[in-house]
Amino acid sequence: MSQLEAATSAFKALVGSDYVITQACALAAYETATFYTDQRVPVVVLPASTEEVRGVVHIANRYKIPIYPVSRGCNWGLGSRVPVSTDNCIVDLKRMNAIVDFDEQLGYITVEPGVSFRQVAEFLQNENSKLFLAMIGGPADSSLIGNALERGDAVGPLGEKAKYCCGIEAVLPTGEVINSGNEAFDNSLTRRLSKYGLGPDLDALFYQSNFAIVTRMTFWLAQKPEHFQVAVFGVRNKEELHRVTVSMRRLQQQGVIKEASYVLWNIYRFFSAQFQYPWDEGGKLKSSPDKLLEHLPRVWRDIRWIGIVGLYSASAAHARADKKMVLKALKGKTSRLFVIDLLKARFAHALAGPLNKITGMNITNAINTLYFNSVFLGHPQRVTAMYWRKRMAIPSDLDPNRDGCGLYWICVSLPFDCASITRLAEIVEEGSLRHNLEPQYMFWAANPWSLKSFIIIMYDREIDGEDQNAFNCYNLLCAQLHHAGFTPNRLGIQSMKSVAPDQQPYIDFIQRMKRLLDPNDILAPGRYDFRHRWRL
Amino acid sequence: MSQLEAATSAFKALVGSDYVITQACALAAYETATFYTDQRVPVVVLPASTEEVRGVVHIANRYKIPIYPVSRGCNWGLGSRVPVSTDNCIVDLKRMNAIVDFDEQLGYITVEPGVSFRQVAEFLQNENSKLFLAMIGGPADSSLIGNALERGDAVGPLGEKAKYCCGIEAVLPTGEVINSGNEAFDNSLTRRLSKYGLGPDLDALFYQSNFAIVTRMTFWLAQKPEHFQVAVFGVRNKEELHRVTVSMRRLQQQGVIKEASYVLWNIYRFFSAQFQYPWDEGGKLKSSPDKLLEHLPRVWRDIRWIGIVGLYSASAAHARADKKMVLKALKGKTSRLFVIDLLKARFAHALAGPLNKITGMNITNAINTLYFNSVFLGHPQRVTAMYWRKRMAIPSDLDPNRDGCGLYWICVSLPFDCASITRLAEIVEEGSLRHNLEPQYMFWAANPWSLKSFIIIMYDREIDGEDQNAFNCYNLLCAQLHHAGFTPNRLGIQSMKSVAPDQQPYIDFIQRMKRLLDPNDILAPGRYDFRHRWRL
């Protein structure tokens, strides 16, 4: 009996045969991402508790089998559920989906890794809560813990998840369970209310790392605003972009725009979020991306970027003051500027028919997405953009892995200034067009100091040669962005082998930590450990 | 030649004899805190650069001599400059006082450990900057880096220092220099603008730890507000306290009160911040603390707690809206409520004479402290409270160590709710009074989830028996607070030996890290390593 067979038997004895997957077709789904991968997954085990996770870790050590945890596996564009290296057993945590604790008054929720953004949103709705959880732009079925541990971002108050959570329960690769922050004190009144505990902050080691399997975490929740408004505007050229960027940074410095409440999309990204590619007859590409823009609703046709700002105000007077400052900051510097409040949103709903005709857009949808069921207020969205380049109709049950949706995300940070924005735009536009792909990117302002940019490559995996073309484009963009100083803040599985900090002592430090914590190298080998620069 | 003598010679060869202190009287100052200590300091070395710090670390390893870094040594009430364990050589970093980088537009400053809060405030003033650095309540000569690494707190925007800094340069106990976050990338545009880098967050290990000597760090700066107001109010009883607490939490949840902008002082703390103890003839204590309160200005005499809120507003309309909500939230729930804006502050200045008579207070001072030179706007304050119980007049050059000022700080976290506030108050009041000491404590609201409380014991070290009495009081309060679930968030040197998280795997983790990073155990042994629970 091989080591793998022995481990599989042990997994079955631990969690029951029903929760160990070994059938080829079921495993194939775990091996499929939104881009080409060749990693094989020999077995998937689905533990139901922290104790079972410990058992899995012990088995992995006993048989020297690498294991790779996924929470809900919705890491689309960055690797889905596929491990960084081949022949890892996947530990799928989706059965651990309990909401462990919730406090309306103090404003927190404690969850297991299988709990999704959608589940929390529905839970809060059922509780008639005055709180909400900032929603990710990606799939609402994503794991809250998985997203936070990747330092993922959500829209609106407390959107920078890693800053507004605490108290990690983690199973170390050697099987010990540790509770970080004030959870390390048995009777602490603030175990779910304080970011830091006493002494060094061990929590921080479990973000973007392969040092532990996180099995529980607490997230703080935002208050629904008394008044909510959303401002939308178009930017036509670099001059406008410069003036807008200065204004938006200033408004964020002043606190008029809150953390994580401003996004700027380029026009192609805006397009792909709402439509599928307008194929020529016979499913052919348009001759050039410029022609594509002719298919935009006329109202947006001279626009290169679209900005959206969520405004959260404590009273009607605050809402008026906020609106006034935003209008003053943007007027004359942008085009198609409008601010939607409750009254206007209702009005637009009532007049949807004629407005649809004038704008060429589905106004009811737009108003719902921006206002009534706004992602800015924590409402789960149906994200379909990954079907942009597909010839098929968008299915009701979205599964980009299964449906051959090609998707790469590139996540980088940049200073909150216009020079950086335009340099990034140039690189992405030139590189994407050279590969006959629409340049798609957006910016997200967590704070007034730096922006995060999400650059997206979308294609159809079922077309011959497209996987290779997209990979070439991805590599070119990564190399040029890195060369220009746009540092990645999150990696897809394929980049774990090609990107690393420059400083060797930093990498050595991580290497020493990994050896200490995981002497048998069983946990997610290669994940954020910059292993191509060193050997265990 | 002993190991110590050899190390001392090596230190002299490294930094020059002028920067190695071995004279008994100079060393005695380093051995003196604001409470009883018996640690001996055999030598102090003052390196001038990161390279010299590396040299010191190498020497310490060669001769197996423990070293203990201090930045500016103003950790009053928590140990001043005294090491946790005896016979540590102090590495005094005060010569490394360069402001390395500053960016007005993006809003950051990069400093070495010898840079003080006062130095940054003066630098920004000379630059005519629109930015300010949130000021600590303690001495303005404290090190910015030292304070941040202790997760110290400052008043007003970006007051929670540990959240608004990045890019640590640190010398490891084995002599390697690492640069964390995006400083680990040679050409990153966001090396001073992004909290997190790529991969696990090593930064976090250097807060409240003995894992490295930090030699450089970047801090983000706040914008001076367009409109500033300060609200002051008195709270007479528990019923008022409950209603005030609910209101203040709500205002902070709504964003009307910003992070770190609300403090609540008990009346004794308010008293000690402004006066010295009103001794009876012959320097005798009043018979009871109740009698002491008769010496308060009449206007405050029925008040038990005093709340102060800084309001930062982006426009006149915002300022009016903020004021309205604060007044609405507090009216009828508090006593002596007033809001000072620029107009009122000027008015009070003009009428200081008659107002002084009515209130029995120095109104000019009060208005300056609250408004024109407000700690809420980053102005350095002259903090003299540690002379409260001294019979001597307050000297112009404050030095509580030299002057025998007795001072203990106890720092704990608690939920932002009234039950926790009143329970803490009971413990502190009962324990302090039992030791014939004024109960002194304050609360500080970093966020709407939890408060930090600072409990202060002040006495005169020159009176026989007072050191022991204060130590007894300190131990009693610590034990009772801990028992009631108020977890410490920062420790004085004497508590490093008596407080630890309950969970053994957590402590084991720190032990393993320490062994890994500091195999010769040369760096600040005992500091936040919970060593009384384990042995290297």
Side-chain angles (χ1 to χ4, degrees):
Chain A
M1 195 159 67
S2 74
Q3 293 290 85
L4 178 64
E5 284 165 343
T8 305
S9 294
F11 288 148
K12 286 179 178 171
L14 176 73
V15 302
S17 301
D18 287 353
Y19 298 110
V20 179
I21 299 174
T22 53
Q23 306 90 316
C25 61
L27 293 175
Y30 282 91
E31 292 166 346
T32 307
T34 58
F35 45 78
Y36 175 78
T37 58
D38 58 7
Q39 291 89 319
R40 288 201 58 253
V41 176
V43 58
V44 176
V45 55
L46 295 102
S49 67
T50 301
E51 208 39 50
E52 287 189 0
V53 171
R54 291 188 72 185
V56 168
V57 164
H58 285 307
I59 292 166
N61 275 293
R62 192 179 324 138
Y63 298 105
K64 308 280 187 292
I65 298 288
I67 55 175
Y68 190 88
V70 302
S71 296
R72 293 186 55 90
C74 297
N75 202 18
W76 300 344
L78 295 156
S80 302
R81 294 177 291 190
V82 179
V84 171
S85 45
T86 194
D87 294 315
N88 284 204
C89 301
I90 286 181
V91 184
D92 188 333
L93 302 167
K94 70 182 171 197
R95 291 173 70 207
M96 295 178 66
N97 64 350
I99 291 175
V100 176
D101 192 9
F102 167 65
D103 190 308
E104 172 79 20
Q105 183 184 286
L106 289 164
Y108 67 81
I109 193 163
T110 306
V111 300
E112 293 184 333
V115 172
S116 70
F117 282 83
R118 187 190 306 283
Q119 187 181 344
V120 173
E122 287 171 357
F123 173 84
L124 293 174
Q125 193 168 22
N126 289 338
E127 294 278 324
N128 279 318
S129 176
K130 289 185 174 160
L131 304 164
F132 75 99
L133 174 72
M135 184 60 52
I136 54 169
D141 293 317
S142 298
S143 162
L144 183 47
I145 286 182
N147 181 261
L149 291 179
E150 281 292 288
R151 298 199 195 100
D153 307 301
V155 180
L158 317 191
E160 219 177 344
K161 288 274 167 286
K163 275 173 70 180
Y164 299 102
C165 55
C166 66
I168 286 180
E169 176 186 86
V171 179
L172 298 182
T174 39
E176 296 95 334
V177 177
I178 75 161
N179 290 271
S180 71
N182 279 346
E183 294 268 16
F185 290 86
D186 290 342
N187 74 336
S188 178
L189 291 169
T190 42
R191 65 192 189 281
R192 286 168 186 168
L193 295 166
S194 173
K195 179 73 187 156
Y196 305 111
L198 184 67
D201 175 18
L202 304 186
D203 254 53
L205 295 176
F206 305 132
Y207 292 80
Q208 293 190 354
S209 82
N210 56 11
F211 294 157
I213 300 177
V214 173
T215 47
R216 184 178 291 188
M217 237 170 131
T218 292
F219 292 86
W220 298 337
L221 299 169
Q223 294 287 319
K224 288 183 189 168
E226 298 295 320
H227 289 260
F228 174 64
Q229 300 170 97
V230 59
V232 181
F233 55 88
V235 180
R236 282 171 296 199
N237 52 50
K238 282 187 189 171
E239 202 169 288
E240 286 188 349
L241 184 65
H242 175 75
R243 289 150 71 196
V244 163
T245 302
V246 170
S247 293
M248 299 315 278
R249 186 176 64 209
R250 177 82 190 134
L251 287 173
Q252 191 148 14
Q253 286 168 337
Q254 293 175 303
V256 175
I257 297 178
K258 306 290 193 293
E259 281 186 345
S261 301
Y262 168 48
V263 290
L264 184 75
W265 296 27
N266 83 325
I267 194 67
Y268 292 96
R269 175 75 190 102
F270 182 72
F271 211 179
S272 74
Q274 304 186 59
F275 310 103
Q276 281 185 282
Y277 192 94
W279 297 105
D280 279 348
E281 278 164 43
K284 289 261 190 309
L285 282 175
K286 306 283 173 195
S287 56
S288 82
D290 289 350
K291 282 213 173 167
L292 192 63
L293 294 181
E294 290 169 16
H295 292 262
L296 265 185
R298 192 168 310 151
V299 66
W300 295 114
R301 222 166 273 175
D302 59 341
I303 299 294
R304 282 191 62 189
W305 297 280
I306 291 174
I308 309 177
V309 179
L311 290 171
Y312 304 83
S313 311
S315 71
H318 283 94
R320 281 192 300 273
D322 286 342
K323 181 180 173 180
K324 192 175 159 189
M325 284 195 72
V326 169
L327 289 177
K328 192 179 162 196
L330 293 178
K331 252 186 185 158
K333 296 169 193 166
T334 60
S335 156
R336 325 285 195 281
L337 170 62
F338 58 93
V339 178
I340 307 171
D341 55 17
L342 183 59
L343 197 69
K344 278 197 193 153
R346 285 188 181 146
F347 192 69
H349 241 290
L351 293 182
L355 281 174
N356 289 352
K357 276 202 186 145
I358 297 169
T359 60
M361 296 176 66
N362 184 331
I363 289 295
T364 313
N365 272 0
I367 293 293
N368 281 340
T369 303
L370 284 173
Y371 201 88
F372 292 113
N373 298 313
S374 180
V375 68
F376 282 92
L377 295 174
H379 293 283
Q381 308 293 313
R382 181 170 147 90
V383 176
T384 60
M386 54 280 180
Y387 288 86
W388 162 248
R389 281 274 203 135
K390 296 298 291 183
R391 272 85 173 169
M392 67 192 284
I394 297 173
S396 58
D397 62 324
L398 305 173
D399 186 343
N401 304 317
R402 175 198 66 201
D403 293 334
C405 301
L407 185 68
Y408 279 105
W409 280 63
I410 304 173
C411 309
V412 301
S413 298
L414 63 155
F416 199 145
D417 63 29
C418 188
S420 303
I421 292 176
T422 49
R423 182 77 192 101
L424 184 143
E426 280 164 13
I427 291 171
V428 175
E429 284 166 15
E430 196 198 282
S432 300
L433 295 179
R434 197 191 298 180
H435 291 84
N436 218 9
L437 293 161
E438 291 72 44
Q440 299 200 33
Y441 56 91
M442 50 187 287
F443 301 95
W444 176 80
N447 59 55
W449 300 284
S450 66
L451 299 167
K452 287 187 177 182
S453 180
F454 308 97
I455 297 141
I456 308 166
I457 297 170
M458 290 180 186
Y459 65 102
D460 186 350
R461 294 199 64 204
E462 290 172 304
I463 306 292
D464 273 355
E466 284 284 282
D467 261 344
Q468 185 63 49
N469 180 60
F471 187 57
N472 294 345
C473 180
Y474 173 85
N475 282 332
L476 176 79
L477 294 186
C478 285
Q480 293 195 339
L481 289 166
H482 191 248
H483 181 73
F486 298 102
T487 310
N489 56 55
R490 184 175 176 182
L491 295 178
I493 53 166
Q494 74 290 356
S495 285
M496 302 282 179
K497 296 162 194 160
S498 57
V499 176
D502 297 299
Q503 300 207 358
Q504 195 57 42
Y506 189 84
I507 293 174
D508 290 345
F509 192 112
I510 291 172
Q511 169 184 15
R512 291 162 71 190
M513 295 273 301
K514 179 67 176 171
R515 277 193 189 135
L516 174 78
L517 297 171
D518 186 9
N520 291 323
D521 195 22
I522 54 112
L523 189 61
R527 189 163 183 85
Y528 290 112
D529 60 16
F530 313 118
R531 162 165 316 226
H532 53 290
R533 296 277 294 269
W534 53 276
R535 290 285 166 268
L536 274 176
Chain B
M1 193 158 71
S2 74
Q3 293 291 84
L4 178 65
E5 284 163 344
T8 304
S9 295
F11 288 149
K12 286 179 179 170
L14 177 72
V15 302
S17 299
D18 287 353
Y19 297 111
V20 179
I21 299 174
T22 54
Q23 307 89 317
C25 60
L27 293 174
Y30 281 91
E31 292 167 346
T32 307
T34 58
F35 45 77
Y36 175 78
T37 58
D38 57 9
Q39 290 89 320
R40 287 200 58 252
V41 175
V43 59
V44 176
V45 55
L46 295 100
S49 67
T50 302
E51 209 38 52
E52 288 188 359
V53 172
R54 291 187 74 185
V56 168
V57 165
H58 284 308
I59 292 166
N61 276 293
R62 191 178 324 138
Y63 298 104
K64 307 281 186 292
I65 297 288
I67 54 175
Y68 191 87
V70 302
S71 298
R72 293 187 56 90
C74 297
N75 202 17
W76 300 344
L78 295 156
S80 302
R81 295 177 289 191
V82 179
V84 171
S85 44
T86 195
D87 294 315
N88 284 204
C89 301
I90 285 182
V91 184
D92 189 331
L93 301 167
K94 70 182 170 195
R95 291 174 69 208
M96 296 177 66
N97 64 350
I99 291 175
V100 176
D101 191 10
F102 167 65
D103 189 308
E104 172 79 20
Q105 182 183 285
L106 288 163
Y108 67 81
I109 193 163
T110 305
V111 300
E112 294 185 332
V115 171
S116 71
F117 282 83
R118 187 189 307 282
Q119 188 181 344
V120 174
E122 288 172 357
F123 172 84
L124 293 174
Q125 194 167 23
N126 289 339
E127 293 279 323
N128 279 317
S129 176
K130 290 185 173 161
L131 304 163
F132 75 100
L133 174 73
M135 185 58 54
I136 54 169
D141 293 314
S142 298
S143 162
L144 184 46
I145 286 183
N147 182 261
L149 291 179
E150 281 292 287
R151 298 200 195 98
D153 307 301
V155 180
L158 317 191
E160 219 177 342
K161 288 274 167 284
K163 275 173 69 179
Y164 300 102
C165 55
C166 66
I168 286 179
E169 176 187 86
V171 179
L172 299 182
T174 41
E176 296 95 335
V177 177
I178 74 162
N179 289 272
S180 71
N182 280 346
E183 295 267 16
F185 289 85
D186 289 342
N187 73 336
S188 178
L189 292 169
T190 44
R191 63 192 190 282
R192 286 167 185 169
L193 295 165
S194 173
K195 178 74 187 155
Y196 305 112
L198 184 67
D201 175 18
L202 304 185
D203 255 52
L205 294 176
F206 305 131
Y207 293 80
Q208 292 189 356
S209 81
N210 56 11
F211 294 156
I213 299 178
V214 173
T215 47
R216 186 178 290 189
M217 234 170 133
T218 292
F219 292 86
W220 299 338
L221 299 169
Q223 294 287 320
K224 287 183 189 168
E226 298 294 321
H227 289 259
F228 174 65
Q229 300 170 96
V230 59
V232 181
F233 56 86
V235 180
R236 281 170 297 200
N237 51 50
K238 282 188 191 171
E239 204 168 287
E240 286 188 347
L241 184 64
H242 175 74
R243 289 151 71 195
V244 163
T245 302
V246 170
S247 293
M248 299 313 279
R249 187 176 62 211
R250 178 83 189 133
L251 287 173
Q252 191 147 14
Q253 286 168 337
Q254 293 175 302
V256 174
I257 297 178
K258 306 291 192 293
E259 282 185 345
S261 302
Y262 168 49
V263 291
L264 184 75
W265 296 28
N266 83 327
I267 193 67
Y268 291 97
R269 175 73 190 101
F270 182 72
F271 211 0
S272 73
Q274 304 185 59
F275 310 102
Q276 281 186 284
Y277 192 95
W279 297 104
D280 278 350
E281 280 163 42
K284 288 260 190 309
L285 281 175
K286 306 283 170 194
S287 56
S288 81
D290 290 349
K291 282 212 171 166
L292 192 63
L293 294 182
E294 290 170 17
H295 293 262
L296 265 186
R298 193 169 307 151
V299 66
W300 294 113
R301 220 166 276 175
D302 59 341
I303 299 295
R304 282 191 60 190
W305 297 279
I306 290 174
I308 308 176
V309 179
L311 290 171
Y312 304 83
S313 311
S315 71
H318 283 95
R320 280 192 301 273
D322 285 343
K323 181 180 174 180
K324 193 175 161 189
M325 284 196 73
V326 169
L327 289 177
K328 192 179 161 195
L330 293 177
K331 251 186 185 159
K333 299 169 191 164
T334 59
S335 155
R336 325 283 194 282
L337 169 63
F338 57 93
V339 177
I340 308 171
D341 55 17
L342 183 59
L343 196 70
K344 276 195 194 154
R346 285 187 180 147
F347 192 69
H349 241 290
L351 292 182
L355 281 174
N356 289 352
K357 274 201 185 146
I358 297 168
T359 60
M361 295 175 67
N362 184 332
I363 289 295
T364 311
N365 272 359
I367 291 293
N368 281 339
T369 303
L370 285 172
Y371 201 88
F372 292 112
N373 298 313
S374 180
V375 69
F376 282 92
L377 295 175
H379 293 283
Q381 307 294 311
R382 181 171 147 91
V383 176
T384 60
M386 54 280 180
Y387 288 85
W388 161 249
R389 279 275 203 135
K390 297 296 292 183
R391 272 87 173 166
M392 66 193 281
I394 298 173
S396 58
D397 62 325
L398 305 172
D399 186 343
N401 304 317
R402 174 199 65 200
D403 293 334
C405 301
L407 185 68
Y408 278 105
W409 280 64
I410 304 172
C411 307
V412 300
S413 298
L414 64 155
F416 200 144
D417 63 29
C418 188
S420 303
I421 291 176
T422 50
R423 182 76 192 100
L424 183 143
E426 281 163 15
I427 290 171
V428 175
E429 284 167 15
E430 197 198 283
S432 300
L433 295 179
R434 197 192 295 178
H435 290 84
N436 219 8
L437 293 161
E438 290 73 44
Q440 300 201 32
Y441 56 91
M442 50 186 288
F443 301 95
W444 177 80
N447 60 54
W449 299 284
S450 65
L451 300 167
K452 288 187 176 181
S453 180
F454 308 96
I455 297 141
I456 307 165
I457 297 171
M458 289 179 187
Y459 66 101
D460 185 349
R461 294 198 66 203
E462 291 173 303
I463 305 291
D464 273 355
E466 283 285 281
D467 261 342
Q468 185 64 50
N469 180 59
F471 186 58
N472 293 345
C473 179
Y474 174 84
N475 282 331
L476 177 79
L477 294 185
C478 285
Q480 293 194 340
L481 289 166
H482 190 245
H483 182 73
F486 298 101
T487 310
N489 56 54
R490 184 175 177 181
L491 294 179
I493 53 165
Q494 73 290 357
S495 285
M496 302 282 179
K497 298 162 193 161
S498 57
V499 176
D502 298 301
Q503 300 207 0
Q504 196 56 44
Y506 188 86
I507 293 173
D508 290 344
F509 192 112
I510 290 171
Q511 170 185 16
R512 291 162 70 192
M513 295 272 299
K514 179 65 177 172
R515 276 192 190 136
L516 174 77
L517 297 172
D518 186 9
N520 291 324
D521 194 22
I522 55 112
L523 189 61
R527 189 160 183 86
Y528 290 112
D529 60 15
F530 312 120
R531 158 166 319 226
H532 53 291
R533 295 277 294 269
W534 54 275
R535 288 285 164 270
L536 274 175

